[in-house]
Amino acid sequence: MISFAFGKARAARLDAEGRAAAQNRTLWGDALRRLRKNRLAVVAFFWIVMMVLVALTGRMWVPIIFGDVMYPDSTIAATMSRLPPSWQHPFGTDSLGLDVMGRIAYGAQMSLSIGVIATMISTTIGLLLGSLSGYFGGLFDAVIMRITDMFMAVPYTLFTIALLAVLGPGWVNIFMAIGLLGWTSICRVVRSAFLQVKENDYVSAARALGASDFRIILRHILPNSIASVVVYSTMSIGTAILSESALSFLGLGIQPPEPSWGLMISEGQTWLASAPWLVICPGAAILTTVLAFTLLGDGLRDALDVKGN
Amino acid sequence: MAKVLPDIFIDSNLPAYEHLLELDNLKVYFDTQDGIVKAVDGVSFTLNAGQTLGVVGESGSGKSVTAMSILGLVPMPPGRFADGDIRFKGQSLLAMKDKDMQVIRGNHIAMIFQDPLSSLNPVYRVGKQVGEGLVIHRGLTATQAVAKAVELLDMVGIPNPEQRVRDYPHQFSGGMRQRAMIAMALACEPEILIADEPTTALDVTIQAQIIELMQELQKKHGTAIIMITHDLGVVADMADNILVMYAGKPVEYGTTNQIFYSPLHPYTWGLMRSIPKRTLDNDQPLTPIKGNPPSLIDLPAGCAFSERCPYVQQHCRDEEPMMRLVSDDHYSSCFFSHDGEFLLNSPIYDTTEEVAAGALDTGTLADAGALDTGTLADTGELADADDSNYQSGGRDG
Amino acid sequence: MQFVPVFIGVTLLLFAMRAIVPGDPIRMIAGEKSIPETTYRIIVERNHLDQPIYIQYGYYMGDLFHGDFGHSYQKGRDVIEIFADKFPSTASLALGAILIEIVVGISAGVISAVKKYSFIDMLLTLSTSILVSMPVFWLGMLLQSIFGIWLKNLTGGAISLPISGSGGPISAYPTFLHYILPSVTLASVSLAFTARIMRSQLLEVLSQDYIRTAYAKGLSKRDVILKHALKNAMIPVITFIGIDFGTMMSGAILTESVFSWPGVGREIYLAIIQRDWPIVMGGVVIIVIIVMTINLLIDISYALFDPRIRYGSKKAD
């Protein structure tokens, strides 16, 4: 079907690219239409938008409404300590007399920034190594796959803990640790997507037309693998938020007085019997936010028709 | 072993019936997000013991859904029976309880499918799968069933059946898998065998053998066969009657002789023109049917074929044609089937190349999925038509 | 065998990490108290800490081959002994959790798939989404406060009593009861994933042609699902459960932390915090061995389920 005459070849190529672009547009347009019909995904999306707004603007308005949520006023701390939820303190106060809702709003900044940055790191590494591995195969592929095997043989939590123990706690180190260790799954996703797409006729056709490897990866294979990457990284933001909360819970993540949801749960554990809201509220914040990313990811997967779990 | 469900379809238990199988104005609709898909829209035919009916049409013409409806295998929802009836031995199958349908499936009416590899369960031995129907319907033990499976595999011409029953499907070749499927279908000696494109996925040389095997077994057991195909050539030597379907609707129904020697409907003519004719000059190009099958959701007003018909008139776009009797037992849905002059356009009378050239459009091939809006048609299908005809030619010669 | 490169890679990585960590681990453990110079020399020499790092690595691997997993800086015990103590707690917890995961996860997935798009399917799917989005340690605490505090009159438990799971097998109440909450907690995320994988696999299998064949043969829906669909759909599920079992056997740091469960995960976690490197190294090596062994068993079980692997995938045509 390929015409090898000079002018025609170029025309054919332009035509093929134009058609691929048009198909891509309709793919995303259709996906958006299907996504909008998924009520859970829409709710999840708005919940995420709200959380992002809280994270971005929280430091401006939280102190005005809830007072200082970082440093307790020692003179009144005793009377304010562990007040149950009320109109003034919807989620109650913690043992230092700080407002729990305000601290959760502060914590949103930590959780979301770490979730997003860690995912960006792991997606970039995974996308790069996965596509090279899938496209070129051979020795490079074998080495990368052994490395992912290695990462999978040691439980993820253990690895992040060890890495954080080496790096020391702190905001930057947390997303570095989560990001640097989280790339293996997305690498495998991209690699298998590449292996599938690579066999398609239009890639052979592009190669026959003399397109360079780089061009083939960029123009022909990546656009077709991107759907699974989008789905996967959406879900992985949620996973990264969970990891951050676990690390902070273990005392290796965010350090006080900076609030983090996981840290708040860890602090509240002591008062589980007498002041359960100290554990329940930050946990609910983690659950709803992660759930929103999970549901949005599910919705995207269905809308984009990506296979997998 | 397995408890066998009571069989209410033994002839002595039933009142006398006229036809073994009768479809009466069957309509199967699918409710989808985009609208109602009228997959089968008013199909009628009858089938008697030992007869063969060929059902011919492009993909998406509703022929497979028709077959699945007979066995009650159409997923409901989204599918539903909108109208009409299916009667097996005079009993309506649409009103049948699921337990009674189970008695029919594999026992009275059996089916073989297009792709024998994907139609066999990869994790069970062939013997177990071939004999499974006997366990369900005859109450055989697993061991007895496998012993019977050896006989069945032998009957369909698989060498070394004693060893082969212990093989898994992936260890069989394509032709052997289809033979195994046939053995599986015939295990309970059904009255009707429905074959849904049984040769399409096979090599050319194997296709002939499978057809021959089916004819042979039909003669031996008196099984009635419904042969579903996109290829008129496949049913030419086999069928007693032929039903041509287009976009879910029947367009022509008659005996094989009538269909081949005095076809009435322009769509049938189109199908015939797309078959390579070995009697004609090799240089004469094949004449594909112009355009693609319409979307079943958005059928054109009037005749469904009007948009692709080279002889279309205004009347065809205004009014929807019904199947009408043209001559004894020969039905057509074309308004002009009574018009002797119009029928001169038929390829049977068409000896001049100019007429063929008038309908010729090299841009498109005939067989594309009805719901597929893509412009490239399935080039494989034409190759298939090509092959099977070549091969049936070889058989005749 | 992918075992050797993975093994070497993991041990190298750990050695590299140890080398990067600032400070002298032995003095760090000693903390405020200064330890006698003779004791210090003994520890350094026993662990070859005065040698270059690659020599240390050589010694370590050599010792491993002789079954010597090293000696704790701090506890004065052999690493292998320490883990021999902790392993039964971890293994029993893992066993409990994997049973819950298999039973609940698989049945939820099957029900979901069979009743696709029904109310119960929606409910199960939403439940599994919630479970995978929940911090495990939080779930543990919720269960503790529900069954140990709120329902204490009903369950007869308080936060330190067996129903709460706290303290684990060495607590004062030697009963299976204290396994319930920790096992459920540990199983929660995994059973949700199992259910999701089971559902999608079964749906995928149910759309296959051979399922249509089975129906056409006259099998009932129940038999089609149980006899024809399930066996095919189980293969990826078994892989997941197997890998998950490996992870559970290597300790569950979060669950063990919430329930003060004396298991392998908590031991390694504490050793990391305390820079007791021989325990970390030994623990990770043991984990890698367990995980790789289980992976091998999964590969073998593949063959039992899928004849295409057992007989090679040679095609006759």
Side-chain angles (χ1 to χ4, degrees):
Chain A
M1 288 292 167
I2 302 164
S3 163
F4 285 101
F6 272 103
K8 271 190 186 166
R10 192 174 149 64
R13 187 161 57 185
L14 287 174
D15 186 43
E17 274 171 16
R19 207 176 311 147
Q23 268 168 9
N24 264 333
R25 264 200 304 280
T26 51
L27 169 75
W28 293 98
D30 283 353
L32 195 66
R33 200 165 45 83
R34 277 195 291 260
L35 193 62
R36 266 198 240 128
K37 280 189 185 167
N38 184 338
R39 243 175 291 163
L40 275 179
V42 172
V43 173
F45 176 75
F46 282 109
W47 183 256
I48 292 170
V49 168
M50 202 193 82
M51 276 297 178
V52 169
L53 285 180
V54 169
L56 288 177
T57 63
R59 306 239 159 189
M60 288 187 270
W61 51 265
V62 164
I64 300 169
I65 303 175
F66 299 112
D68 194 335
V69 295
M70 296 264 287
Y71 303 97
D73 181 347
S74 54
T75 53
I76 56 160
T79 58
M80 292 288 290
S81 178
R82 297 195 301 283
L83 295 176
S86 63
W87 283 111
Q88 205 186 347
H89 301 287
F91 292 172
T93 60
D94 69 4
S95 56
L96 297 172
L98 304 174
D99 183 89
V100 172
M101 190 185 235
R103 282 177 69 77
I104 288 177
Y106 266 43
Q109 196 178 28
M110 287 295 149
S111 290
L112 285 175
S113 61
I114 288 173
V116 170
I117 300 175
T119 299
M120 275 161 60
I121 295 174
S122 57
T123 306
T124 312
I125 301 176
L127 200 58
L128 197 71
L129 294 183
S131 46
L132 294 178
S133 194
Y135 189 78
F136 292 111
L139 185 65
F140 185 80
D141 182 41
V143 171
I144 296 292
M145 283 302 105
R146 286 297 81 77
I147 294 178
T148 60
D149 280 346
M150 196 177 92
F151 276 80
M152 283 173 167
V154 181
Y156 177 71
T157 331
L158 198 65
F159 236 137
T160 44
I161 288 170
L163 194 58
L164 266 185
V166 172
L167 296 172
W171 185 68
V172 175
N173 290 349
I174 298 172
F175 65 65
M176 289 299 278
I178 299 174
L180 286 178
L181 295 176
W183 58 271
T184 49
S185 351
I186 205 148
C187 175
R188 287 188 172 233
V189 169
V190 172
R191 175 178 175 268
S192 64
F194 258 63
L195 288 180
Q196 265 172 24
V197 177
K198 191 168 85 167
E199 302 306 321
N200 280 339
D201 286 343
Y202 62 83
V203 174
S204 321
R207 200 173 288 133
L209 286 167
S212 68
D213 285 337
F214 181 71
R215 189 187 171 80
I216 291 175
I217 290 180
L218 213 62
R219 297 298 300 262
H220 295 275
I221 304 187
L222 260 188
N224 286 286
S225 327
I226 215 78
S228 32
V229 174
V230 166
V231 171
Y232 201 86
S233 32
T234 307
M235 293 194 172
S236 120
I237 295 177
T239 318
I241 292 175
L242 275 181
S243 300
E244 184 274 328
S245 74
L247 290 170
S248 297
F249 170 73
L250 291 172
L252 291 165
I254 304 291
Q255 298 297 307
E258 200 61 61
S260 146
W261 295 341
L263 187 62
M264 290 170 76
I265 294 177
S266 159
E267 289 166 350
Q269 191 178 11
T270 325
W271 318 104
L272 188 58
S274 59
W277 60 88
L278 293 183
V279 166
I280 293 174
C281 296
I286 301 175
L287 170 62
T288 48
T289 310
V290 177
L291 182 62
F293 282 106
T294 310
L295 292 176
L296 184 64
D298 273 351
L300 280 171
R301 188 194 56 212
D302 294 345
L304 288 166
D305 201 20
V306 175
K307 274 198 172 183
N309 306 293
Chain B
M1 271 318 288
K3 239 169 82 187
V4 178
L5 294 167
D7 188 348
I8 59 165
F9 298 98
I10 299 168
D11 285 342
S12 53
N13 296 345
L14 295 171
Y17 51 85
E18 196 182 349
H19 300 291
L20 184 59
L21 180 74
E22 192 176 359
L23 263 69
D24 181 10
N25 192 30
L26 182 71
K27 294 185 179 182
V28 184
Y29 293 175
F30 289 86
D31 298 312
T32 72
Q33 284 192 339
D34 302 306
I36 297 174
V37 176
K38 300 182 176 179
V40 177
D41 201 10
V43 169
S44 306
F45 63 74
T46 58
L47 184 71
N48 296 323
Q51 276 190 342
T52 301
L53 170 76
V55 180
V56 183
E58 293 163 287
S59 359
S61 61
K63 53 195 197 307
S64 287
V65 179
T66 308
M68 303 290 273
S69 307
I70 298 170
L71 278 181
L73 291 178
V74 175
M76 305 202 175
R80 64 185 156 92
F81 289 120
D83 196 11
D85 201 359
I86 301 172
R87 280 184 292 275
F88 172 67
K89 296 187 171 179
Q91 308 292 307
S92 167
L93 295 189
L94 301 197
M96 204 62 76
K97 279 181 301 193
D98 203 50
K99 279 223 153 84
D100 295 327
M101 279 311 292
Q102 282 173 31
V103 172
I104 290 185
R105 291 182 196 135
N107 191 7
H108 294 282
I109 306 177
M111 187 157 177
I112 58 179
F113 300 97
Q114 177 170 352
D115 183 353
L117 178 58
S118 64
S119 300
L120 288 164
N121 194 327
V123 300
Y124 289 119
R125 296 177 198 278
V126 171
K128 180 183 156 70
Q129 297 188 58
V130 169
E132 196 174 13
L134 293 162
V135 177
I136 308 166
H137 300 297
R138 301 279 184 273
L140 264 58
T141 65
T143 334
Q144 291 169 328
V146 170
K148 193 80 206 306
V150 175
E151 288 172 34
L152 286 162
L153 290 184
D154 189 42
M155 175 186 83
V156 296
I158 289 179
N160 289 330
E162 294 86 1
Q163 278 135 47
R164 286 306 202 158
V165 283
R166 298 189 48 78
D167 277 359
Y168 288 92
H170 72 273
Q171 293 167 303
F172 270 39
S173 69
M176 275 166 47
R177 284 178 204 135
Q178 198 57 291
R179 284 170 189 266
M181 283 295 291
I182 293 173
M184 186 191 298
L186 296 181
C188 298
E189 298 180 357
E191 283 104 327
I192 301 173
L193 175 66
I194 303 174
D196 188 359
E197 305 253 11
T199 58
T200 308
L202 300 178
D203 285 347
V204 183
T205 45
I206 310 296
Q207 289 182 0
Q209 296 173 8
I210 294 294
I211 300 279
E212 230 167 311
L213 173 69
M214 289 178 65
Q215 284 176 297
E216 205 178 286
L217 293 171
Q218 178 177 34
K219 246 177 246 153
K220 211 153 101 192
H221 300 287
T223 320
I225 293 180
I226 300 178
M227 184 77 172
I228 293 168
T229 175
H230 62 270
D231 182 356
L232 267 177
V234 168
V235 288
D237 302 324
M238 218 185 152
D240 300 300
N241 296 306
I242 289 176
L243 170 71
V244 182
M245 287 182 70
Y246 182 78
K249 298 175 203 297
V251 293
E252 187 166 355
Y253 177 49
T255 65
T256 304
N257 280 343
Q258 285 167 338
I259 298 286
F260 273 90
Y261 296 112
S262 52
L264 298 173
H265 198 283
Y267 177 65
T268 315
W269 302 346
L271 284 179
M272 295 179 88
R273 285 202 182 95
S274 350
I275 314 176
K277 295 183 195 62
R278 64 202 131 89
T279 50
L280 287 180
D281 187 352
N282 277 340
D283 290 341
Q284 184 183 343
L286 289 177
T287 316
I289 303 168
K290 194 170 135 187
N292 290 310
S295 154
L296 292 181
I297 292 174
D298 195 19
L299 282 181
C303 175
F305 189 57
S306 60
E307 285 184 350
R308 298 170 75 190
C309 183
Y311 315 104
V312 63
Q313 308 284 317
Q314 189 52 44
H315 185 53
C316 304
R317 297 201 170 97
D318 296 339
E319 195 191 328
E320 190 182 335
M322 289 293 145
M323 285 288 268
R324 277 175 303 183
L325 191 62
V326 178
S327 58
D328 18 294
D329 296 333
H330 193 179
Y331 296 80
S332 164
S333 77
C334 184
F335 290 118
F336 305 101
S337 293
H338 292 280
D339 182 343
E341 210 161 307
F342 181 74
L343 292 178
L344 289 178
N345 292 315
S346 155
I348 300 304
Y349 305 102
D350 164 22
T351 48
T352 58
E353 289 192 15
E354 290 88 68
V355 181
L360 188 135
D361 183 328
T362 48
T364 347
L365 297 173
D367 205 303
L371 299 173
D372 182 358
T373 48
T375 47
L376 281 181
D378 195 344
T379 41
E381 299 286 0
L382 185 71
D384 272 342
D386 207 339
D387 285 340
S388 60
N389 201 262
Y390 158 76
Q391 151 264 308
S392 67
R395 192 149 41 93
D396 288 348
Chain C
M1 270 318 261
Q2 45 168 321
F3 182 77
V4 176
V6 168
F7 193 78
I8 292 175
V10 170
T11 45
L12 273 179
L13 199 69
L14 284 166
F15 259 80
M17 279 185 175
R18 201 191 76 185
I20 295 169
V21 178
D24 182 336
I26 304 173
R27 295 212 191 278
M28 209 163 183
I29 289 168
E32 305 292 306
K33 307 167 282 178
S34 65
I35 51 171
E37 197 54 28
T38 45
T39 318
Y40 183 79
R41 295 285 342 145
I42 290 172
I43 298 177
V44 165
E45 259 166 45
R46 184 182 317 184
N47 294 288
H48 313 287
L49 294 178
D50 46 354
Q51 308 277 351
I53 187 104
Y54 56 90
I55 305 275
Q56 289 181 31
Y57 184 73
Y59 274 117
Y60 187 78
M61 294 305 266
D63 286 347
L64 272 188
F65 269 105
H66 296 101
D68 181 0
F69 283 72
H71 197 81
S72 163
Y73 291 160
Q74 192 189 21
K75 300 193 169 177
R77 295 175 71 197
D78 276 343
V79 169
I80 196 83
E81 244 177 69
I82 295 173
F83 282 106
D85 270 2
K86 304 287 179 189
F87 194 69
S89 305
T90 289
S92 47
L93 181 60
L95 223 55
I98 211 78
L99 282 179
I100 297 173
E101 175 179 346
I102 291 173
V103 174
V104 181
I106 291 184
S107 29
V110 170
I111 292 170
S112 235
V114 172
K115 309 254 172 208
K116 188 171 73 151
Y117 302 137
S118 70
F119 175 72
I120 185 132
D121 175 32
M122 306 271 200
L123 194 72
L124 285 173
T125 307
L126 189 63
S127 311
T128 58
S129 299
I130 290 175
L131 276 183
V132 299
S133 308
M134 199 180 272
V136 172
F137 52 95
W138 186 65
L139 175 66
M141 285 182 214
L142 282 191
L143 291 176
Q144 275 182 345
S145 50
I146 292 172
F147 293 101
I149 299 169
W150 289 352
L151 301 178
K152 121 175 113 185
N153 295 332
L154 214 73
T155 59
I159 200 155
S160 59
L161 290 180
I163 185 65
S164 72
S166 285
I170 57 159
S171 76
Y173 303 88
T175 153
F176 75 97
L177 280 178
H178 53 231
Y179 282 97
I180 298 177
L181 295 190
S183 308
V184 169
T185 306
L186 183 57
S188 62
V189 177
S190 311
L191 80 84
F193 273 117
T194 307
R196 294 178 129 210
I197 298 171
M198 187 74 240
R199 177 181 186 272
S200 69
Q201 284 303 320
L202 194 52
L203 285 180
E204 167 88 23
V205 168
L206 285 175
S207 69
Q208 297 290 318
D209 287 349
Y210 55 80
I211 295 300
R212 189 178 57 182
T213 310
Y215 276 116
K217 240 186 250 184
L219 269 80
S220 63
K221 185 173 180 180
R222 191 174 146 270
D223 281 355
V224 169
I225 289 167
L226 290 181
K227 291 185 182 159
H228 281 264
L230 219 46
K231 196 175 174 186
N232 283 283
M234 282 307 282
I235 295 168
V237 179
I238 283 176
T239 312
F240 175 78
I241 292 178
I243 290 174
D244 204 50
F245 188 56
T247 313
M248 286 178 178
M249 290 293 266
S250 45
I253 295 171
L254 296 169
T255 308
E256 288 173 8
S257 289
V258 172
F259 292 97
S260 321
W261 197 269
V264 171
R266 194 160 168 75
E267 187 65 32
I268 298 178
Y269 163 63
L270 291 173
I272 291 176
I273 305 289
Q274 293 164 348
R275 309 271 196 269
D276 199 340
W277 282 104
I279 295 187
V280 180
M281 297 284 305
V284 171
V285 166
I286 292 170
I287 287 174
V288 171
I289 293 172
I290 293 174
V291 169
M292 302 294 268
T293 311
I294 290 176
N295 284 355
L296 189 71
L297 291 178
I298 299 171
D299 285 349
I300 294 170
S301 76
Y302 264 3
L304 289 179
F305 271 84
D306 194 342
R308 282 166 295 186
I309 294 170
R310 203 180 330 158
Y311 290 83
S313 58
K314 61 171 166 67
K315 282 192 179 159
D317 56 352

